[in-house]
Amino acid sequence: MSPEAFEAAALALPATEKVVQWGGADVYKVGGRVFALKTLEGALSIKVSDIAYAVLVETGQARPAPYLARAKWVAFEALEALDAEEVRGWLAAAHALVAAKLTRRARAELGLYPPS
């Protein structure tokens, strides 16, 4: 997946913002909370579910993300080597995991998962 396609996919998710921090990394957030980041070198770190973490790490597709592994983040060395559809799915899942941890009020203010 190209960096441009990654950015477009991440920013297409509801209420997503991009900031540049931590030494120039592109950091993608929902409700002020990080769900993915891309380094200048093209590495990708992303929040995943417990099951996805185990599968991705055990199969060697990804490694535990530095500083974030305890929170079930994985890292991929090269974004461009990854399948675009898989990355879009991981992004959507990461966004949903992080958004679900926001308060009901924050989700409503962001227009996410409106109250039923």
Side-chain angles (χ1 to χ4, degrees):
M1 175 176 235
S2 72
E4 296 80 14
F6 175 81
E7 182 168 319
L11 293 175
L13 296 167
T16 296
E17 64 177 330
K18 173 188 161 187
V19 296
V20 178
Q21 62 188 72
W22 300 325
D26 292 338
V27 180
Y28 298 89
K29 299 180 177 187
V30 59
R33 301 181 106 186
V34 179
F35 69 90
L37 61 97
K38 184 180 70 62
T39 67
L40 292 173
E41 296 81 25
L44 168 67
S45 292
I46 194 162
K47 171 77 173 150
V48 293
S49 69
D50 293 351
I51 294 171
Y53 181 86
V55 170
L56 290 168
V57 171
E58 288 176 15
T59 61
Q61 282 187 273
R63 62 183 175 82
Y67 310 106
L68 299 169
R70 64 179 171 72
K72 304 299 187 223
W73 279 67
V74 294
F76 300 92
E77 295 302 319
L79 173 62
E80 295 198 2
L82 299 174
D83 178 72
E85 285 304 310
E86 278 188 320
V87 174
R88 282 188 199 94
W90 293 329
L91 276 172
H95 182 274
L97 284 168
V98 173
K101 294 289 185 174
L102 298 172
T103 65
R104 185 177 308 167
R105 181 178 184 173
R107 288 192 309 267
E109 288 171 358
L110 293 170
L112 301 170
Y113 320 110
S116 45

